[in-house]
Amino acid sequence: MDKKSHTRFVKNMFGAIAPRYDFLNRLLSLRQDVSWRRRMVAALDLPEDGRVLDAACGTGDVAIEILRQKKAPQIRGIDFSPEMLAIAENKAARVRPGPEVFLLAADALQTPFAANSFDAVTIAFGIRNILNRRQALEEFRRVLKPGGILAVLELATPAPGPLRSLYLLYFEKILPAVGGVFSKNIRAYRYLPASVLSFPQPAEFSRLMRHSGFSDVQWLKLSAGIATLFTGRKPGA
Ligand SMILES: C[S@@+](CC[C@H](N)C(=O)[O-])C[C@H]1O[C@@H](n2cnc3c(N)ncnc32)[C@H](O)[C@@H]1O
Protein backbone atom coordinates (compact mmCIF):
# COMPACT_ATOMS: atom_id res chain seq x y z
CA MET A 1 0.00 0.00 0.00
CA ASP A 2 1.44 3.43 -0.90
CA LYS A 3 1.48 6.28 1.65
CA LYS A 4 -1.67 7.94 0.32
CA SER A 5 -3.72 4.73 0.36
CA HIS A 6 -2.38 3.86 3.82
CA THR A 7 -3.44 7.27 5.18
CA ARG A 8 -6.92 6.87 3.66
CA PHE A 9 -7.19 3.34 5.06
CA VAL A 10 -6.17 4.45 8.60
CA LYS A 11 -8.50 7.46 8.57
CA ASN A 12 -11.51 5.43 7.36
CA MET A 13 -10.76 2.59 9.74
CA PHE A 14 -10.67 4.80 12.85
CA GLY A 15 -13.77 6.63 11.63
CA ALA A 16 -15.58 3.29 11.37
CA ILE A 17 -14.55 1.91 14.79
CA ALA A 18 -14.84 5.21 16.71
CA PRO A 19 -18.12 4.35 18.52
CA ARG A 20 -16.65 1.11 19.98
CA TYR A 21 -13.04 2.30 20.29
CA ASP A 22 -12.97 3.10 24.03
CA PHE A 23 -14.98 0.05 25.04
CA LEU A 24 -12.70 -2.28 23.07
CA ASN A 25 -9.53 -0.61 24.36
CA ARG A 26 -10.59 -1.26 27.95
CA LEU A 27 -11.76 -4.80 27.22
CA LEU A 28 -8.87 -5.96 25.05
CA SER A 29 -6.15 -4.47 27.27
CA LEU A 30 -7.95 -5.33 30.54
CA ARG A 31 -7.85 -1.57 31.33
CA GLN A 32 -4.05 -1.50 31.05
CA ASP A 33 -4.42 1.28 28.45
CA VAL A 34 -5.69 3.57 31.21
CA SER A 35 -2.65 3.00 33.41
CA TRP A 36 -0.24 3.35 30.44
CA ARG A 37 -1.67 6.77 29.58
CA ARG A 38 -1.51 7.72 33.26
CA ARG A 39 2.16 6.78 33.27
CA MET A 40 2.86 8.80 30.13
CA VAL A 41 1.18 11.93 31.50
CA ALA A 42 3.02 11.54 34.83
CA ALA A 43 6.30 11.71 32.88
CA LEU A 44 5.49 15.25 31.64
CA ASP A 45 7.16 17.91 33.76
CA LEU A 46 4.93 20.84 32.87
CA PRO A 47 4.99 24.35 34.23
CA GLU A 48 1.68 25.58 35.67
CA ASP A 49 -0.60 26.38 32.67
CA GLY A 50 1.84 24.43 30.46
CA ARG A 51 0.88 24.00 26.80
CA VAL A 52 0.54 20.44 25.52
CA LEU A 53 -0.10 19.15 22.02
CA ASP A 54 -1.68 15.69 21.97
CA ALA A 55 -1.20 14.37 18.44
CA ALA A 56 -3.49 11.61 17.10
CA CYS A 57 -5.67 12.35 20.13
CA GLY A 58 -8.46 9.98 19.08
CA THR A 59 -11.30 9.97 21.60
CA GLY A 60 -9.41 12.29 23.97
CA ASP A 61 -8.23 9.95 26.71
CA VAL A 62 -4.76 11.52 26.94
CA ALA A 63 -6.20 15.05 27.09
CA ILE A 64 -8.57 13.96 29.87
CA GLU A 65 -5.71 12.36 31.80
CA ILE A 66 -3.72 15.60 31.48
CA LEU A 67 -6.71 17.52 32.87
CA ARG A 68 -6.81 15.10 35.81
CA GLN A 69 -3.10 15.25 36.63
CA LYS A 70 -1.88 18.75 35.77
CA LYS A 71 -2.60 22.23 37.06
CA ALA A 72 -4.28 24.55 34.55
CA PRO A 73 -2.94 22.87 31.40
CA GLN A 74 -3.63 24.30 27.95
CA ILE A 75 -4.23 21.33 25.67
CA ARG A 76 -4.49 21.18 21.91
CA GLY A 77 -5.63 17.83 20.55
CA ILE A 78 -5.37 16.99 16.85
CA ASP A 79 -6.58 14.01 14.88
CA PHE A 80 -7.52 13.53 11.26
CA SER A 81 -10.64 11.48 12.05
CA PRO A 82 -13.72 13.69 12.60
CA GLU A 83 -15.57 10.72 14.13
CA MET A 84 -12.90 10.24 16.82
CA LEU A 85 -12.76 14.00 17.47
CA ALA A 86 -16.53 14.24 17.95
CA ILE A 87 -16.32 11.65 20.75
CA ALA A 88 -13.33 13.46 22.28
CA GLU A 89 -15.27 16.78 22.31
CA ASN A 90 -18.14 15.22 24.25
CA LYS A 91 -15.89 13.47 26.76
CA ALA A 92 -13.66 16.48 27.43
CA ALA A 93 -16.67 18.77 27.96
CA ARG A 94 -18.10 16.30 30.49
CA VAL A 95 -14.83 16.18 32.47
CA ARG A 96 -14.15 19.91 32.48
CA PRO A 97 -16.17 22.26 30.29
CA GLY A 98 -14.00 25.21 29.33
CA PRO A 99 -11.27 26.43 27.07
CA GLU A 100 -8.43 24.22 28.42
CA VAL A 101 -8.98 21.61 25.71
CA PHE A 102 -9.18 22.71 22.11
CA LEU A 103 -9.57 19.95 19.53
CA LEU A 104 -9.12 20.27 15.83
CA ALA A 105 -8.90 18.16 12.70
CA ALA A 106 -5.30 18.15 11.51
CA ASP A 107 -2.60 15.82 10.26
CA ALA A 108 0.21 15.08 12.69
CA LEU A 109 2.67 15.40 9.80
CA GLN A 110 1.82 19.05 9.27
CA THR A 111 0.25 20.77 12.25
CA PRO A 112 -1.15 24.30 12.16
CA PHE A 113 0.94 25.47 15.15
CA ALA A 114 3.81 27.93 15.40
CA ALA A 115 7.33 26.74 16.08
CA ASN A 116 8.46 26.64 19.73
CA SER A 117 4.93 26.83 21.11
CA PHE A 118 4.44 23.74 23.33
CA ASP A 119 6.00 22.58 26.61
CA ALA A 120 5.12 18.97 25.76
CA VAL A 121 3.94 16.88 22.83
CA THR A 122 2.27 13.52 23.44
CA ILE A 123 1.22 10.77 21.06
CA ALA A 124 -0.38 7.57 22.36
CA PHE A 125 -0.84 4.57 20.07
CA GLY A 126 -0.63 6.93 17.12
CA ILE A 127 2.91 6.89 15.74
CA ARG A 128 2.58 3.23 14.66
CA ASN A 129 -0.14 4.28 12.23
CA ILE A 130 2.02 6.93 10.58
CA LEU A 131 4.29 5.68 7.82
CA ASN A 132 6.52 8.75 7.68
CA ARG A 133 7.54 8.64 11.33
CA ARG A 134 10.58 10.80 10.87
CA GLN A 135 8.49 13.61 9.39
CA ALA A 136 6.08 13.36 12.33
CA LEU A 137 8.90 13.42 14.88
CA GLU A 138 10.48 16.43 13.17
CA GLU A 139 7.13 18.21 13.23
CA PHE A 140 6.80 17.51 16.96
CA ARG A 141 10.31 18.88 17.48
CA ARG A 142 9.46 22.01 15.50
CA VAL A 143 6.44 22.90 17.65
CA LEU A 144 8.14 22.09 20.96
CA LYS A 145 9.82 24.86 22.93
CA PRO A 146 13.55 24.31 23.54
CA GLY A 147 13.76 21.96 26.53
CA GLY A 148 10.22 20.71 25.86
CA ILE A 149 9.42 17.02 26.22
CA LEU A 150 8.06 14.53 23.68
CA ALA A 151 6.31 11.44 25.07
CA VAL A 152 5.42 8.58 22.74
CA LEU A 153 3.37 5.65 24.01
CA GLU A 154 3.14 2.66 21.75
CA LEU A 155 2.07 -0.97 21.86
CA ALA A 156 4.73 -3.66 21.68
CA THR A 157 5.12 -7.38 22.37
CA PRO A 158 7.03 -9.20 25.14
CA ALA A 159 10.61 -10.38 24.51
CA PRO A 160 11.07 -13.93 23.11
CA GLY A 161 10.05 -16.59 25.64
CA PRO A 162 6.93 -18.42 26.86
CA LEU A 163 5.11 -15.19 27.75
CA ARG A 164 5.56 -13.90 24.19
CA SER A 165 4.17 -17.12 22.67
CA LEU A 166 1.13 -16.93 24.93
CA TYR A 167 0.66 -13.23 24.25
CA LEU A 168 0.92 -13.71 20.48
CA LEU A 169 -1.75 -16.39 20.63
CA TYR A 170 -4.02 -13.85 22.28
CA PHE A 171 -2.90 -10.89 20.16
CA GLU A 172 -3.04 -12.54 16.75
CA LYS A 173 -5.97 -14.92 17.20
CA ILE A 174 -8.29 -13.98 20.08
CA LEU A 175 -8.06 -10.18 19.93
CA PRO A 176 -9.01 -9.88 16.22
CA ALA A 177 -11.97 -12.21 16.75
CA VAL A 178 -13.30 -10.33 19.80
CA GLY A 179 -12.55 -6.91 18.28
CA GLY A 180 -14.19 -7.97 15.02
CA VAL A 181 -17.39 -9.11 16.74
CA PHE A 182 -17.86 -5.93 18.81
CA SER A 183 -16.72 -3.40 16.21
CA LYS A 184 -18.06 -5.30 13.19
CA ASN A 185 -14.74 -4.42 11.57
CA ILE A 186 -12.44 -7.43 11.71
CA ARG A 187 -10.03 -5.74 9.31
CA ALA A 188 -9.26 -3.08 11.92
CA TYR A 189 -8.53 -5.66 14.59
CA ARG A 190 -6.34 -7.68 12.21
CA TYR A 191 -4.46 -4.52 11.32
CA LEU A 192 -3.78 -3.85 15.03
CA PRO A 193 -1.44 -6.83 15.71
CA ALA A 194 0.09 -6.58 12.22
CA SER A 195 0.99 -2.90 12.75
CA VAL A 196 2.38 -3.56 16.24
CA LEU A 197 4.54 -6.44 15.00
CA SER A 198 5.98 -4.32 12.22
CA PHE A 199 6.78 -1.36 14.51
CA PRO A 200 10.52 -1.01 15.20
CA GLN A 201 12.07 -2.37 18.40
CA PRO A 202 12.59 0.22 21.19
CA ALA A 203 16.33 0.66 20.50
CA GLU A 204 15.63 1.34 16.82
CA PHE A 205 12.77 3.78 17.46
CA SER A 206 14.91 5.59 20.06
CA ARG A 207 17.58 5.98 17.37
CA LEU A 208 14.99 7.50 15.05
CA MET A 209 14.02 9.95 17.80
CA ARG A 210 17.66 10.96 18.19
CA HIS A 211 18.11 11.30 14.42
CA SER A 212 15.00 13.50 14.37
CA GLY A 213 16.70 15.92 16.75
CA PHE A 214 15.73 14.74 20.23
CA SER A 215 18.19 14.44 23.09
CA ASP A 216 18.01 12.59 26.39
CA VAL A 217 15.99 9.81 24.69
CA GLN A 218 14.81 7.12 27.08
CA TRP A 219 12.39 4.23 26.92
CA LEU A 220 10.59 2.13 29.45
CA LYS A 221 8.83 -1.20 28.97
CA LEU A 222 5.38 -1.34 30.54
CA SER A 223 3.35 -4.43 31.55
CA ALA A 224 6.05 -6.99 30.66
CA GLY A 225 6.74 -5.27 27.36
CA ILE A 226 3.18 -5.02 26.01
CA ALA A 227 3.66 -1.26 25.71
CA THR A 228 6.64 1.08 25.57
CA LEU A 229 6.92 4.66 26.75
CA PHE A 230 9.53 6.76 24.94
CA THR A 231 10.58 10.23 26.06
CA GLY A 232 12.98 12.76 24.57
CA ARG A 233 13.71 16.47 24.75
CA LYS A 234 14.13 19.21 22.24
CA PRO A 235 17.64 20.45 22.93
CA GLY A 236 18.51 24.03 23.71
CA ALA A 237 16.66 24.99 26.91
C1 LIG B 1 -5.06 3.99 18.07
S1 LIG B 1 -5.77 5.58 17.98
C2 LIG B 1 -5.10 6.39 19.41
C3 LIG B 1 -6.02 7.42 19.99
C4 LIG B 1 -5.61 8.02 21.32
N1 LIG B 1 -4.35 8.71 21.24
C5 LIG B 1 -5.59 7.03 22.45
O1 LIG B 1 -4.75 7.16 23.34
O2 LIG B 1 -6.46 6.14 22.49
C6 LIG B 1 -4.85 6.31 16.67
C7 LIG B 1 -5.40 7.64 16.24
O3 LIG B 1 -4.45 8.26 15.39
C8 LIG B 1 -5.14 9.00 14.41
N2 LIG B 1 -4.16 9.25 13.34
C9 LIG B 1 -3.42 8.34 12.65
N3 LIG B 1 -2.59 8.96 11.80
C10 LIG B 1 -2.78 10.29 11.97
C11 LIG B 1 -2.20 11.45 11.38
N4 LIG B 1 -1.25 11.35 10.43
N5 LIG B 1 -2.62 12.66 11.79
C12 LIG B 1 -3.59 12.76 12.73
N6 LIG B 1 -4.18 11.70 13.32
C13 LIG B 1 -3.77 10.48 12.95
C14 LIG B 1 -6.33 8.13 14.05
O4 LIG B 1 -7.36 8.85 13.44
C15 LIG B 1 -6.71 7.60 15.45
O5 LIG B 1 -7.67 8.42 16.06
Side-chain angles (χ1 to χ4, degrees):
M1 215 188 278
D2 64 27
K3 279 186 188 158
K4 240 184 173 170
S5 324
H6 173 84
T7 303
R8 201 175 323 116
F9 165 71
V10 169
K11 197 170 170 181
N12 291 341
M13 178 185 69
F14 282 106
I17 65 170
R20 300 304 260 169
Y21 177 80
D22 285 352
F23 166 74
L24 280 166
N25 269 356
R26 306 298 182 270
L27 177 72
L28 296 170
S29 77
L30 302 176
R31 284 192 75 81
Q32 290 296 294
D33 66 312
V34 176
S35 65
W36 295 332
R37 287 191 200 86
R38 199 175 294 146
R39 193 73 183 257
M40 175 172 78
V41 172
L44 308 176
D45 48 349
L46 291 183
E48 203 169 302
D49 73 14
R51 279 174 56 86
V52 186
L53 168 63
D54 183 37
C57 66
T59 58
D61 281 345
V62 173
I64 289 167
E65 188 55 35
I66 296 170
L67 285 177
R68 288 202 178 108
Q69 285 192 33
K70 307 293 181 188
K71 244 188 194 166
Q74 297 298 313
I75 307 162
R76 301 290 176 266
I78 59 164
D79 200 288
F80 62 19
S81 161
E83 293 87 350
M84 297 290 266
L85 282 174
I87 293 171
E89 287 276 8
N90 275 331
K91 284 165 64 184
R94 263 184 276 139
V95 173
R96 201 188 301 178
E100 289 106 326
V101 183
F102 185 77
L103 301 165
L104 73 160
D107 194 321
L109 292 175
Q110 213 173 8
T111 73
F113 304 109
N116 307 316
S117 52
F118 289 98
D119 297 287
V121 174
T122 54
I123 180 162
F125 317 119
I127 197 78
R128 166 175 52 85
N129 301 297
I130 297 175
L131 285 189
N132 197 340
R133 295 186 187 121
R134 179 147 186 170
Q135 190 183 336
L137 291 171
E138 286 176 353
E139 177 64 2
F140 301 155
R141 183 182 180 276
R142 183 186 72 79
V143 298
L144 272 174
K145 295 176 186 172
I149 184 168
L150 168 68
V152 179
L153 182 61
E154 198 41 89
L155 292 170
T157 49
L163 180 63
R164 178 181 172 85
S165 311
L166 209 64
Y167 184 71
L168 288 184
L169 177 70
Y170 165 72
F171 201 44
E172 293 186 296
K173 304 273 184 251
I174 301 169
L175 179 148
V178 176
V181 167
F182 283 104
S183 69
K184 304 204 174 9
N185 190 324
I186 192 147
R187 211 170 160 210
Y189 286 87
R190 280 196 186 126
Y191 163 82
L192 169 60
S195 61
V196 171
L197 287 164
S198 62
F199 190 73
Q201 291 296 309
E204 194 185 333
F205 186 72
S206 303
R207 211 172 306 128
L208 184 65
M209 283 178 68
R210 279 192 294 274
H211 288 161
S212 309
F214 288 91
S215 62
D216 202 10
V217 174
Q218 299 181 22
W219 51 274
L220 180 69
K221 287 190 176 190
L222 305 172
S223 304
I226 299 173
T228 315
L229 172 63
F230 300 89
T231 53
R233 290 206 180 266
K234 176 168 176 174

